Amino acid sequence: MADDTGRISIRLFDSIVEYLASGERNACTMGTDCRQYFVVEYDGTVYPCDFFVRDELRLGNVMDTKWRELLANPVYRRFGLEKANWSDDCRSCSWLKLCHGDCPKLRWHEGERRGRSVLCEGWQAFYAHALPGLQRLAGDLKASSEPSG
């Protein structure tokens, strides 16, 4: 409803509006790199993402590894850069600037890398339908944050 604006918050919508208004991507799925946070397990073991807690992606342990070492870990670097390893379908998609291929976990099936996210068709339909309204909200947000002069 029109009177819900500014009162109801939906993270996905807020993230898209923020990107459209400022160019800032505040949701990892919208970024070009998956190095936005760490996951620390109960025993202190650190991984690059909560969807990729795997032995081969173990970065260290908070008890004996410094944060700067975790950030510099080559495994973390490779993991982050994999996000932009898009399929040819993604490279030619008009929505790529918004979804950036979606979360890599959705590009894998039974241990095999698939070409694109399993949600791709749904994202395309969503953006085709919702983008005009989200762009209006982004314009309103930009206008309200500009200094009046």
Side-chain angles (χ1 to χ4, degrees):
M1 306 307 253
D3 61 339
D4 289 342
T5 302
R7 218 174 45 83
I8 303 293
S9 177
I10 298 172
R11 182 176 182 223
L12 172 64
F13 298 169
D14 292 347
S15 295
I16 296 167
V17 169
E18 175 69 23
Y19 168 71
L20 295 171
S22 71
E24 295 293 321
R25 293 180 175 93
N26 61 18
C28 58
T29 56
M30 294 176 66
T32 59
D33 190 309
C34 281
R35 289 176 286 175
Q36 293 195 358
Y37 63 89
F38 293 117
V39 169
V40 180
E41 290 289 292
Y42 71 95
D43 64 353
T45 304
V46 180
Y47 298 93
C49 174
D50 51 340
F51 295 112
F52 290 92
V53 175
R54 300 179 182 161
D55 288 342
E56 68 271 15
L57 295 174
R58 183 184 186 278
L59 302 175
N61 189 293
V62 295
M63 301 303 285
D64 56 27
T65 311
K66 294 179 174 27
W67 288 113
R68 68 177 172 270
E69 293 171 25
L70 295 169
L71 288 166
N73 188 313
V75 172
Y76 190 50
R77 184 181 192 305
R78 279 192 305 277
F79 175 81
L81 294 176
E82 180 62 26
K83 173 76 160 90
N85 188 10
W86 301 305
S87 69
D88 290 339
D89 287 342
C90 288
R91 281 184 187 78
S92 62
C93 180
S94 59
W95 308 113
L96 181 62
K97 67 180 183 211
L98 294 166
C99 78
H100 285 99
D102 204 4
C103 178
K105 75 174 181 199
L106 299 170
R107 296 191 230 163
W108 290 82
H109 179 69
E110 296 179 1
E112 299 282 325
R113 187 176 188 277
R114 71 173 86 207
R116 60 186 184 151
S117 168
V118 68
L119 300 178
C120 182
E121 288 178 27
W123 280 121
Q124 291 175 359
F126 167 75
Y127 284 121
H129 173 78
L131 194 58
L134 295 170
Q135 287 172 319
R136 278 192 302 281
L137 289 171
D140 292 348
L141 178 64
K142 255 178 125 166
S144 70
S145 64
E146 292 175 355
S148 55

